[in-house]
Amino acid sequence: MNLYPSLSKRDGSQWLVWLASASRHMPELGRALQFLQSVSEVLDDAETLDARQVSQRLRQAGGKYIGQARCPSAASCDKIACRLDTLGAWLGEELHRGQHSSAVVEALLGLGSHVLLRVFGQCEGADDRAGVLVRSVRQFVLDWLSGLATLPQSPMERALTVYPVALQDQLGIVEPAVWWKVLASTDRAVLTGLIEEDIRAMAETQPAAAVNWRSFDKRWRRLRLKGLLEYLGEVFLLSELLRKSAVDDFEAAQAIAQMRLAGRAREAIAQAEQWMRALPKSPVLASALFDLYKADGWDDEALALAIQQYEYDPHPDWIERLSALNTPAARAQAASWRRA
């Protein structure tokens, strides 16, 4: 329904004059017109530029329009939300026009990715008390994903486009299942390759008895990867992620359990033994290692571990564990502990 039928009859040149005049008194309108002018120039010259130049200039225009505010105030959140809405409306229109070459479409998608990566960083620590910025970011993401679904991208290209953006949404502005569902529909080999590369690049942590805030540095990305791998059911990669990122004995025990589930029982034993040398009095790790020994038939090692742990802490659980081991030596040791 057209609320302003008479205005709709005016052509673009008239609108440009009016808006340009109004923008002198409305800074955000002026900023929007400058952005639209910049990106329009790039698209007009797209045939004479190579793909890299088009992509670079679009990203520069988008970055300049959104701004670089860190931990923005409530007023700044309103402005960024307004800019994001404007940019999203323009981007959606350009993607759905169907008049651009594949190289330009790829550049437009890259602009959307670039803007989201910047805005996700701005949302951290933002004073978005009214929730306007979060709502705008969420809508931009949903529109961007909707646009991707209608474009002739291959599953491999879609994985490369969505993955870095999804992992950067550390605040969970968009429901994680939305991201994971899109990624699950992409090329599985490419997606798992990207995840494996991320895990390989991570610095390996060592579980410690005293965990401080430094132990949790850069853990947001690990948590995002954990959620994605659980959604995908990738047990092997999940076991490796947990192994490399455990910071205490509880997380180490989770990693051991996942390694065992992934069919890496022998590796889990070696890893648990290494961690036990660092945390010899951890009952959590000791219990996990005992179960590994028992499942693999290492009865003598399980008995020795139980005796060592009972000396540290004579907990009744170890009596029950030895009873369940059901070997003559284990039963005799359990009986002697009960008599003591």
Side-chain angles (χ1 to χ4, degrees):
M1 180 179 178
N2 190 351
L3 298 178
Y4 305 101
S6 296
L7 289 180
S8 65
K9 299 175 183 177
R10 270 53 182 181
D11 62 24
S13 60
Q14 290 175 298
W15 278 103
L16 184 60
V17 171
W18 299 333
L19 291 175
S21 179
S23 70
R24 299 171 187 170
H25 310 285
M26 303 168 65
E28 283 304 312
L29 176 58
R31 190 183 185 104
L33 288 176
Q34 290 175 1
F35 163 73
L36 293 173
Q37 173 67 21
S38 298
V39 292
S40 295
E41 289 176 354
V42 177
L43 296 180
D44 288 344
D45 298 339
E47 294 183 359
T48 62
L49 301 171
D50 61 44
R52 185 176 179 180
Q53 287 177 309
V54 173
S55 178
Q56 183 179 17
R57 288 178 58 178
L58 285 177
R59 293 184 182 210
Q60 286 175 344
K64 182 178 180 181
Y65 180 46
I66 294 297
Q68 300 185 18
R70 299 295 298 177
C71 300
S73 63
S76 296
C77 284
D78 290 344
K79 292 179 180 179
I80 296 173
C82 174
R83 295 166 193 170
L84 195 61
D85 290 343
T86 303
L87 193 152
W90 169 82
L91 183 60
E93 181 66 23
E94 292 296 332
L95 287 174
H96 287 90
R97 283 176 64 189
Q99 299 179 359
H100 297 300
S101 66
S102 59
V104 172
V105 170
E106 184 176 346
L108 290 169
L109 295 175
L111 169 61
S113 305
H114 178 71
V115 168
L116 281 173
L117 291 174
R118 173 168 295 193
V119 173
F120 283 148
Q122 291 176 322
C123 287
E124 297 179 20
D127 184 13
D128 188 24
R129 62 188 67 179
V132 291
L133 181 55
V134 167
R135 285 194 294 272
S136 291
V137 174
R138 185 176 293 131
Q139 189 60 53
F140 187 95
V141 169
L142 295 177
D143 291 343
W144 182 68
L145 290 175
S146 177
L148 287 181
T150 63
L151 297 174
Q153 264 196 322
S154 69
M156 179 185 71
E157 292 171 325
R158 189 154 297 156
L160 294 170
T161 300
V162 178
Y163 177 80
V165 182
L167 266 290
Q168 198 64 29
D169 183 14
Q170 298 178 358
L171 296 179
I173 294 174
V174 177
E175 182 68 26
V178 173
W179 291 116
W180 307 158
K181 183 178 180 180
V182 172
L183 287 171
S185 67
T186 65
D187 187 285
R188 187 74 171 222
V190 172
L191 179 58
T192 53
L194 291 170
I195 297 172
E196 189 173 359
E197 184 178 349
D198 257 356
I199 294 174
R200 191 182 301 115
M202 288 179 178
E204 187 169 332
T205 61
Q206 290 297 322
V211 179
N212 54 42
W213 67 270
R214 291 182 184 276
S215 303
F216 291 89
D217 185 32
K218 297 181 180 179
R219 283 181 60 80
W220 275 115
R221 191 171 186 86
R222 298 169 190 245
L223 292 174
R224 296 290 288 176
L225 279 173
K226 181 175 180 288
L228 175 56
L229 289 170
E230 289 173 341
Y231 184 91
L232 296 174
E234 287 285 345
V235 292
F236 186 89
L237 287 176
L238 179 57
S239 69
E240 184 62 12
L241 173 68
L242 296 179
R243 186 192 70 80
K244 291 194 69 172
S245 60
V247 298
D248 58 23
D249 52 353
F250 289 94
E251 290 193 354
Q254 291 175 2
I256 291 169
Q258 189 63 40
M259 290 176 72
R260 184 177 175 184
L261 184 64
R264 305 172 64 185
R266 291 300 176 91
E267 292 180 71
I269 290 175
Q271 184 64 77
E273 288 176 338
Q274 176 189 326
W275 285 337
M276 279 300 301
R277 287 191 287 271
L279 299 170
K281 295 185 179 182
S282 169
V284 178
L285 264 179
S287 296
L289 181 56
F290 182 91
D291 290 342
L292 287 172
Y293 282 154
K294 179 184 174 184
D296 219 38
W298 294 22
D299 296 337
D300 293 340
E301 287 78 2
L303 175 59
L305 177 63
I307 293 173
Q308 179 193 60
Q309 291 300 309
Y310 196 81
E311 290 175 354
Y312 290 142
D313 179 15
H315 198 284
D317 279 353
W318 288 109
I319 300 176
E320 299 301 323
R321 286 178 177 275
L322 279 191
S323 299
L325 195 58
N326 200 28
T327 65
R331 288 196 299 269
Q333 183 64 64
S336 69
W337 283 344
R338 287 192 181 97
R339 291 192 299 269

